Amino acid sequence: MDMNVYVAEILARSHLAELRAQALRCHQAQQAARARPLRVALGHALIRAGRRLLGGLAAVEAPA
C-alpha cells in the first residue's frame, strides 16, 4: 500500500506538535524545580546578615 503524502504530512505535523508540547512541559517543570521559594531566600538572607553582624564573635557554627 502506498501512503498518501498529504496524510504523512498531517501525521508528521501532529507528532511534532505533541513533541513540542512535551518539551515545553519538561522545560517548565525544570524551571519550577530550580526556583527557590521566597521564604527560603529570605531565610538565607537573614542568616547571612546575622553572620555579618556577629563578625568574628560566632566561633562555633551549628551543624547544617
Side-chain angles (χ1 to χ4, degrees):
M1 271 172 110
D2 198 18
M3 182 177 239
N4 188 350
V5 177
Y6 178 73
V7 173
E9 183 180 349
I10 290 175
L11 289 175
R13 286 179 192 248
S14 173
H15 186 63
L16 279 173
E18 290 174 10
L19 289 176
R20 287 183 179 125
Q22 182 181 6
L24 179 62
R25 284 191 302 269
C26 287
H27 179 69
Q28 289 173 342
Q30 287 175 351
Q31 292 298 323
R34 285 187 208 163
R36 198 163 47 164
L38 178 62
R39 63 184 176 90
V40 173
L42 181 61
H44 285 253
L46 288 173
I47 290 170
R48 281 193 306 270
R51 285 184 181 162
R52 222 180 234 177
L53 288 173
L54 284 176
L57 298 178
V60 179
E61 292 187 9

